[in-house]
Amino acid sequence: MAAPEQRNSVDRPLLLAVVAIHVLAIARPVDVLFPVDPWSVGRMLLHGQIPYRDFQFEYPPLSAVAFLLPGLVPHGVAPTVLALQALGMELLAVVFIRGQAGALRRYAALSFLLFPFLAGGFDAFPMAALAVSTALLAAGNPAGWAVVAAGAMMKISPGLAWAWCRDHLVQAGAALVVTLAVVLAPLALARHRDDDWLSYNVHRGVQVESVAATTTWLAHQVTGRSSTFAYRFKAYEIDHASGAAVAWVGAGALAMLWIAARAKGRSAWVLALLAVDVFLVSSKVLSPQYLAWTAPLAAVVGGRTFRLHLAMAALTVVAYSVVSGREAILVVSALRNVILVATVALGLWGLRGPVTAPAEDALSPPA
């Protein structure tokens, strides 16, 4: 059998391509946060202004940390600092998946496609939290719950571990209590409607790239109705999609219950990836950088699941970097979302049978 370093090497052409795309993305990051200005947010924080109370902030509380360094540098340098933070988080994720056979090569392929979307925002933080917490929980390390909590305070997705993991319940419960206290605190601070992240996300509409938007758009295409769109809540939304959004949230809740019921004895990496995919399907917001949350997990899981995620990443790049015009973006996003739904369906179907062998997913945390 090949040595681990041979099994987990990265082909030179792929490595060169990954390095090149990282250099380009750091030099000219894609501004996925527009119209939010990370430098302005950072300056307000550094001058003592409190999110939600003094200014609107549509992200969970701990995400404010990601804006501090960009606020310390000149305005023109802030995007590069944001990109370098993303690189640091990506490297942290790589450290925790490198021991899995073939994971580095698979992650390199996904990173080539998705890092440009990470470089312009802070979604590399929850991506790293998902990779690190899953690695620790898979190894039976209760410190994974601290990482889950920290990640969920920045973006909700790392908190999905509470749906599938039943190890170290005392630490899990303590982490959940602290997380709930922090993420609900903005409700007490906000002075105006939608100043806090919870109200903001509850009241916003259905983003055109989401599965609910694709469902609505396809239904309109079949019935001959025209779809209308509007720019609200700093994103383009499709009208008359609330019914589809509610339906997908309901389906996602049922899927999470199925994952929780069938989780015992199964691979932590498979469960973590499936839970994030379910979250993406049921969310009414599906920004391109959200696909990167799954990249380290998909790299470890490998096989057909990895290939499906690679196809989704490629279609995301096509939608945002190759085609132009709303209709073309809707078509490509629909293809991507069909694959996403199929990936979830296959994953849920795979949980139906009994566990036939011990899960070989242990990854000891690096020294």
Side-chain angles (χ1 to χ4, degrees):
M1 185 170 63
E5 58 271 16
Q6 292 176 324
R7 292 187 288 118
N8 218 1
S9 62
V10 180
D11 298 331
R12 181 171 294 180
L14 176 58
L15 179 60
L16 292 174
V18 170
V19 170
I21 203 68
H22 278 65
V23 170
L24 291 172
I26 292 171
R28 299 190 64 180
V30 178
D31 189 3
V32 299
L33 296 180
F34 179 84
V36 174
D37 180 4
W39 181 83
S40 296
V41 174
R43 297 300 292 175
M44 287 189 287
L45 292 169
L46 292 167
H47 283 87
Q49 295 191 51
I50 298 175
Y52 317 116
R53 190 195 72 178
D54 299 326
F55 62 93
Q56 184 190 60
F57 194 59
E58 61 262 38
Y59 312 113
L62 198 60
S63 60
V65 172
F67 295 90
L68 293 177
L69 285 180
L72 285 171
V73 300
H75 193 192
V77 183
T80 300
V81 172
L82 206 62
L84 289 172
Q85 285 185 159
L87 177 62
M89 290 297 102
E90 185 181 52
L91 292 175
L92 177 62
V94 165
V95 166
F96 277 83
I97 68 170
R98 74 186 192 280
Q100 303 292 311
L104 285 185
R105 181 184 293 110
R106 292 189 290 268
Y107 182 76
L110 288 167
S111 177
F112 174 76
L113 296 168
L114 295 172
F115 183 77
F117 299 118
L118 288 177
F122 64 91
D123 283 271
F125 284 86
M127 180 194 77
L130 281 161
V132 174
S133 63
T134 304
L136 292 173
L137 293 174
N141 190 332
W145 287 115
V147 181
V148 169
M153 293 176 200
M154 297 191 79
K155 284 285 181 80
I156 294 301
S157 54
L160 297 170
W162 280 298
W164 58 262
C165 186
R166 295 294 176 271
D167 295 334
H168 309 289
L169 293 181
V170 173
Q171 290 89 339
L176 180 59
V177 169
V178 172
T179 301
L180 288 175
V182 172
V183 299
L184 294 178
L187 292 174
L189 292 172
R191 294 175 174 175
H192 305 99
R193 175 185 170 92
D194 297 335
D195 277 355
D196 69 276
W197 74 277
L198 279 164
S199 300
Y200 185 93
N201 284 283
V202 167
H203 294 147
R204 73 185 303 179
V206 178
Q207 191 183 43
V208 294
E209 298 96 330
S210 67
V211 173
T214 292
T215 305
T216 302
W217 177 70
L218 290 175
H220 288 173
Q221 294 293 108
V222 171
T223 59
R225 295 176 57 191
S226 60
S227 297
T228 57
F229 308 88
Y231 187 80
R232 309 184 193 96
F233 290 87
K234 303 173 185 176
Y236 279 99
E237 300 173 353
I238 186 170
D239 294 325
H240 312 297
S242 58
V246 170
W248 281 111
V249 168
L254 292 175
M256 287 295 185
L257 289 174
W258 175 247
I259 291 171
R262 305 296 298 173
K264 186 176 180 180
R266 301 182 191 275
S267 165
W269 296 97
V270 170
L271 294 169
L273 177 58
L274 181 55
V276 176
D277 283 341
V278 168
F279 182 82
L280 295 179
V281 164
S282 57
S283 176
K284 61 182 178 180
V285 178
L286 184 49
S287 299
Q289 63 270 27
Y290 290 9
L291 268 294
W293 296 344
T294 67
L297 307 175
V300 172
V301 172
R304 178 182 62 190
T305 301
F306 161 73
R307 292 191 293 273
L308 289 169
H309 282 83
L310 188 65
M312 287 187 277
L315 286 169
T316 300
V317 172
V318 171
Y320 288 91
S321 304
V322 178
V323 302
S324 60
R326 186 167 58 200
E327 199 74 14
I329 293 173
L330 286 167
V331 170
V332 178
S333 295
L335 291 173
R336 190 269 314 275
N337 289 345
V338 167
I339 296 175
L340 177 57
V341 172
T343 301
V344 167
L346 289 169
L348 295 174
W349 180 255
L351 298 182
R352 74 194 187 284
V355 179
T356 56
E360 297 179 358
D361 59 4
L363 175 63
S364 299

